[in-house]
């Protein structure tokens, strides 16, 4: 195993685990079991990545390709990501098991430092037919898309090449004062990104 | 204990634990022990909040002020936040204990979906003398300030009333394509937010 690939796995665990936390809270906020189930699937993926990383890292140490100190850091960082993923799963578990979430909890989540929101893309939205890379939504509006529904297909952690079409539903997170702007863009009430 | 206050504590644990993860990775990226130590302090605070929340919630159940199902959900969500805080502490621990972090790990962190950055505020920056609320940095640039250093004082998770002054150092996170804009604003190379 090359060092670089271990680092890539650590990074993948980091990014996926943080996405999972956002997805888990979104599943609570929007009472959405599909998103909660995705958190479960991602948790399985993270467990596999973590197991493989540990094995590969220790083999690399045995072959003297990796200093023990570096191996320890890699495993420790991956472990922290794996624990964040576990926590995300527990949050999603509340959505999957609870009969009904207390409305005060949902309200309370809405007051978070980073808000989670859901927008429906109307035909007249300036987003239609454009990719996330073209729109630069993150830097232009402050909102990051964490999941989206396109017809019956779900996409989690979409990338720059993901295109937005009419009737898509976007799940996003970002600062409180950016939520309204995203909503207006999605509804076609404003064309200025 | 009123229900609302339990929800507020859950929300505080959620927000603080997520801030801690960002701070912990920033401490690694910028080899910054002060930030790593703050993660430790916050972890102690979260432990106290979680202990108190458990006690108060169970007392409320005993007094029949809170249904057992709601209490379970509250404790479960708080526990998930507490585990995220633990994971953040383990990441900060790498910074506090490791002699030197492997440069590949630092490079790898820079490739994250959400980048972490550090900017120094020059005299000519449009930020000078303005509060975060006035600047609306999150929605205007996509970057969120997670920590800042003002003279010898550190501020973590600054709020809308926090003012930026010349020579402050901001630690921020946000989408990759927003980093350069923040840097240019901090350096006074552009005045257009």
């Amino acid at each position: 195993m090359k060092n670089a690939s271990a680092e890539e796995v650590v990074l993948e665990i980091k990014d996926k685990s943080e996405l999972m936390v956002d997805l888990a809270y979104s599943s609570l906020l929007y009472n959405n079991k599909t998103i909660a189930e995705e958190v479960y699937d991602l948790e399985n993926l993270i467990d596999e990545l973590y197991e493989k990383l540990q094995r590969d890292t220790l083999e690399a140490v045995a072959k003297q390709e990796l200093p023990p100190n570096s191996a320890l850091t890699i495993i420790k960082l991956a472990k922290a990501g794996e624990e964040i993923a576990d926590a995300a799963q527990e949050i999603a578990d509340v959505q999957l098991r609870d009969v009904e979430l207390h409305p005060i909890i949902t309200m309370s989540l809405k007051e978070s430092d980073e808000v989670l929101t859901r927008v429906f893309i109307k035909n007249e939205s300036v987003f239609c037919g454009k990719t996330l890379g073209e729109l630069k939504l993150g830097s232009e509006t402050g909102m990051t898309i964490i999941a989206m529904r396109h017809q019956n297909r779900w996409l989690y952690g979409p990338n720059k090449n993901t295109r937005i079409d009419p009737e898509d539903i976007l799940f996003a997170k970002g600062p409180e004062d950016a939520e309204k702007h995203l909503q207006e863009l999605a509804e076609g009430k404003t064309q200025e990104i």
Side-chain angles (χ1 to χ4, degrees), chain A:
Chain A
M1 184 181 69
K2 301 268 198 321
N3 272 11
S5 84
E7 312 299 335
E8 277 164 21
V9 176
V10 171
L11 185 64
E12 188 177 354
I13 293 176
K14 172 189 185 294
D15 284 339
K16 285 264 184 341
S17 63
E18 293 178 6
L19 174 65
M20 286 169 67
V21 173
D22 292 330
L23 290 175
Y25 283 119
S26 278
S27 78
L28 283 189
L29 197 54
Y30 294 108
N31 192 19
N32 187 313
K33 295 210 188 298
T34 310
I35 297 181
E37 279 157 9
E38 172 69 12
V39 175
Y40 262 73
D41 290 346
L42 286 172
E43 214 281 318
N44 289 334
L45 171 69
I46 298 246
D47 281 348
E48 283 167 29
L49 285 173
Y50 178 60
E51 287 300 322
K52 186 175 182 314
L53 182 77
Q54 273 187 302
R55 208 165 43 235
D56 290 356
T57 305
L58 293 175
E59 277 172 21
V61 171
K63 287 181 197 157
Q64 315 225 319
E65 290 169 6
L66 190 67
N69 267 341
S70 295
L72 207 60
T73 303
I74 287 168
I75 291 173
K76 225 171 151 172
L77 287 178
K79 175 74 184 149
E82 194 260 340
E83 283 167 11
I84 290 171
D86 281 347
Q89 191 183 31
E90 282 161 39
I91 296 162
D93 195 56
V94 171
Q95 174 55 36
L96 290 175
R97 283 167 204 259
D98 270 26
V99 184
E100 199 178 356
L101 201 65
H102 200 290
I104 299 174
I105 295 179
T106 322
M107 270 171 54
S108 162
L109 285 175
K110 280 220 157 277
E111 311 269 298
S112 191
D113 283 349
E114 277 200 314
V115 301
L116 293 161
T117 193
R118 179 181 59 180
V119 300
F120 177 83
I121 305 297
K122 290 199 178 169
N123 281 315
E124 49 270 45
S125 171
V126 69
F127 294 164
C128 294
K130 299 220 175 69
T131 64
L132 292 180
E134 285 166 344
L135 291 167
K136 291 187 183 163
L137 276 189
S139 53
E140 295 295 336
T141 70
M143 300 299 287
T144 305
I145 311 302
I146 57 169
M148 53 191 284
R149 204 190 77 183
H150 173 75
Q151 292 169 355
N152 290 322
R153 205 159 47 85
W154 283 82
L155 259 166
Y156 302 95
N159 61 37
K160 288 176 183 176
N161 303 317
T162 307
R163 204 185 64 205
I164 299 179
D165 284 322
E167 300 188 12
D168 283 355
I169 295 171
L170 311 184
F171 292 79
K173 69 157 184 173
E176 195 189 348
D177 58 9
E179 184 179 6
K180 198 174 158 230
H181 186 205
L182 185 76
Q183 196 79 49
E184 290 177 349
L185 286 163
E187 289 175 5
K189 283 187 185 164
T190 177
Q191 310 292 317
E192 283 176 51
I193 299 183

